[in-house]
């Protein structure tokens, strides 16, 4: 899968996506990341990429022309046959989640437009953007970190990027339950013991304990997710029992 990032800070993108699983996937050619500086396409002698907002108000607005030129440069260079999906990162977008990551991972080419300043001229968004996406209900200084978050989550869904061992975590999130707690050596650390069941070697009991821990954690921190989780009759009863104990 090929990612193209239109940004004022290409080094930030390339550096940030060169570690761990993403770095490995790029080196193995399973994904590619090209980050292009919008400023390189400014025809202004001072290389300006923004201007004052019509109607007045604080801040600057990124201009249409350099952004569209960056986009066209990438499309022409890569000889894209059909119009690619172009994600504009904005807190006004649809909120990103695992399901969206899976859908975007079906694309062969995916573009990101990272805005800065107070925003981007709406006309260039209308002309090239296909998806407006937010990574959560807070405001970042620009779209770069948000695009990196998306590229990380999407890449993990591209076949071959994760090893079999690594894929297991993602599958469990798809069941709409949070992960169970993990422990490693030593058995006791500063007076805190590893739960006895994990030392028992009894695999069925361990599985059941982990599943119950996942259910309890999800109920405590993300109860809205539980509504979408498929719990067995026994698990429902277990959860009801715990709720009663607490009230
Ligand atoms: N740009 C600024 N804030 C953002 C957010 N929350 N998500 C995506 N892009 C953004």
């Amino acid at each position: 899968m090929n990612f193209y990032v239109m940004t004022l800070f290409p080094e930030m993108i390339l550096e940030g996506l060169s570690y761990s699983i993403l770095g490995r996937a790029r080196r193995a050619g399973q994904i590619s990341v090209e980050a292009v500086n919008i400023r390189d396409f400014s025809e202004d002698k001072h290389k300006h990429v923004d201007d004052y907002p019509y109607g007045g108000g604080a801040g600057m607005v990124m201009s249409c022309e350099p952004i569209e030129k960056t986009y066209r440069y990438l499309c022409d260079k890569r000889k894209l046959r059909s119009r690619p999906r172009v994600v504009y990162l904005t807190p006004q977008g649809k909120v990103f989640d695992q399901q969206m990551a899976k859908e975007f991972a079906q694309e062969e080419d995916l573009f990101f437009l990272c805005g800065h300043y107070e925003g981007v001229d709406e006309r260039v968004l209308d002309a090239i953007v296909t998806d407006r996406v937010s990574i959560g209900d807070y405001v970042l200084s620009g779209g770069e970190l948000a695009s990196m978050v998306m590229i990380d989550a999407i890449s993990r869904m591209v076949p071959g990027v994760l090893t079999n061992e690594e894929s297991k975590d993602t599958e469990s999130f798809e069941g709409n339950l949070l992960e169970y707690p993990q422990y490693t050596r030593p058995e006791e650390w500063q007076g805190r013991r590893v739960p006895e069941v994990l030392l028992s070697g009894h695999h069925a009991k361990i599985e059941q304990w982990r599943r119950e821990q996942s259910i309890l954690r999800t109920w405590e921190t993300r109860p809205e997710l539980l509504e979408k989780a498929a719990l067995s009759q026994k698990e429902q009863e277990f959860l009801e029992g715990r709720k009663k104990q607490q009230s």
Side-chain angles (χ1 to χ4, degrees), residues 115-117 139-144:
H116 258 268
Y117 312 116
V139 179
L140 301 169
S141 310
E144 282 75 15

Side-chain angles (χ1 to χ4, degrees), residues 184-194:
T184 187
R185 291 196 297 174
E187 268 180 46
E188 185 174 325
W189 177 76
Q190 295 192 354
R192 297 163 195 264
R193 283 196 60 75
V194 171

Side-chain angles (χ1 to χ4, degrees), residues 89-91 133-143 146:
L89 288 315
T90 166
V133 182
S134 164
I135 62 158
D137 291 338
Y138 40 80
V139 179
L140 301 169
S141 310

Side-chain angles (χ1 to χ4, degrees), residues 109-224:
D109 299 289
L110 188 59
F111 282 54
F112 292 89
L113 171 59
C114 304
H116 258 268
Y117 312 116
E118 299 306 303
V120 175
D121 190 315
E122 193 69 19
R123 293 167 297 181
V124 72
L125 300 179
D126 289 341
I128 70 171
V129 168
T130 57
D131 301 85
R132 299 182 189 217
V133 182
S134 164
I135 62 158
D137 291 338
Y138 40 80
V139 179
L140 301 169
S141 310
E144 282 75 15
L145 287 169
S147 73
M148 289 157 74
V149 165
M150 286 187 67
I151 292 170
D152 187 312
I154 294 165
S155 297
R156 295 170 59 83
M157 298 290 99
V158 171
V161 167
L162 295 186
T163 63
N164 282 346
E165 198 49 41
E166 289 161 351
S167 327
K168 286 189 200 130
D169 296 345
T170 312
E171 280 158 20
S172 68
F173 192 76
E174 279 163 15
N176 287 298
L177 289 178
L178 304 183
E179 274 291 350
Y180 49 80
Q182 297 270 25
Y183 301 85
T184 187
R185 291 196 297 174
E187 268 180 46
E188 185 174 325
W189 177 76
Q190 295 192 354
R192 297 163 195 264
R193 283 196 60 75
V194 171
E196 231 34 68
V197 62
L198 299 179
L199 309 173
S200 69
H202 193 302
H203 290 294
K205 278 199 178 138
I206 292 171
E207 273 318 297
Q208 186 191 345
W209 180 85
R210 286 181 165 166
R211 187 76 196 162
E212 288 171 358
Q213 292 297 311
S214 281
I215 293 167
L216 289 177
R217 283 199 157 178
T218 311
W219 173 56
E220 278 159 10
T221 36
R222 299 288 306 279
E224 80 284 4

Side-chain angles (χ1 to χ4, degrees), residues 5-190:
V5 186
M6 302 180 277
T7 170
L8 292 172
F9 304 103
E11 295 84 3
M12 183 176 170
I13 305 286
L14 294 173
E15 167 69 17
L17 299 175
S18 52
Y19 297 92
S20 184
I21 292 174
L22 275 277
R24 183 183 73 197
R26 283 175 68 193
R27 287 190 296 274
Q30 290 153 333
I31 60 165
S32 75
V33 181
E34 182 167 1
V36 177
N37 196 335
I38 296 166
R39 200 175 297 283
D40 292 346
F41 294 85
S42 166
E43 290 191 346
D44 181 286
K45 70 174 176 200
H46 299 294
K47 294 277 169 200
H48 285 141
V49 289
D50 57 345
D51 211 332
Y52 296 98
Y54 276 119
M60 302 291 272
V61 177
M62 285 176 73
S63 314
C64 295
E65 203 59 26
I67 292 173
E68 203 257 349
K69 286 208 166 81
T70 309
Y71 171 72
R72 246 185 310 124
Y73 160 78
L74 280 169
C75 290
D76 292 349
K77 182 178 167 199
R78 303 304 293 219
K79 299 191 171 57
L80 297 183
R81 277 166 281 123
S82 54
R83 204 179 141 189
R85 273 177 97 171
V86 180
V87 174
Y88 172 53
L89 288 315
T90 166
Q92 277 88 45
K94 192 174 164 203
V95 179
F96 187 58
D97 63 10
Q98 192 67 38
Q99 185 53 38
M100 279 167 86
K102 269 175 118 176
E103 282 167 23
F104 280 123
Q106 309 293 315
E107 304 292 325
E108 197 174 321
D109 299 289
L110 188 59
F111 282 54
F112 292 89
L113 171 59
C114 304
H116 258 268
Y117 312 116
E118 299 306 303
V120 175
D121 190 315
E122 193 69 19
R123 293 167 297 181
V124 72
L125 300 179
D126 289 341
I128 70 171
V129 168
T130 57
D131 301 85
R132 299 182 189 217
V133 182
S134 164
I135 62 158
D137 291 338
Y138 40 80
V139 179
L140 301 169
S141 310
E144 282 75 15
L145 287 169
S147 73
M148 289 157 74
V149 165
M150 286 187 67
I151 292 170
D152 187 312
I154 294 165
S155 297
R156 295 170 59 83
M157 298 290 99
V158 171
V161 167
L162 295 186
T163 63
N164 282 346
E165 198 49 41
E166 289 161 351
S167 327
K168 286 189 200 130
D169 296 345
T170 312
E171 280 158 20
S172 68
F173 192 76
E174 279 163 15
N176 287 298
L177 289 178
L178 304 183
E179 274 291 350
Y180 49 80
Q182 297 270 25
Y183 301 85
T184 187
R185 291 196 297 174
E187 268 180 46
E188 185 174 325
W189 177 76
Q190 295 192 354

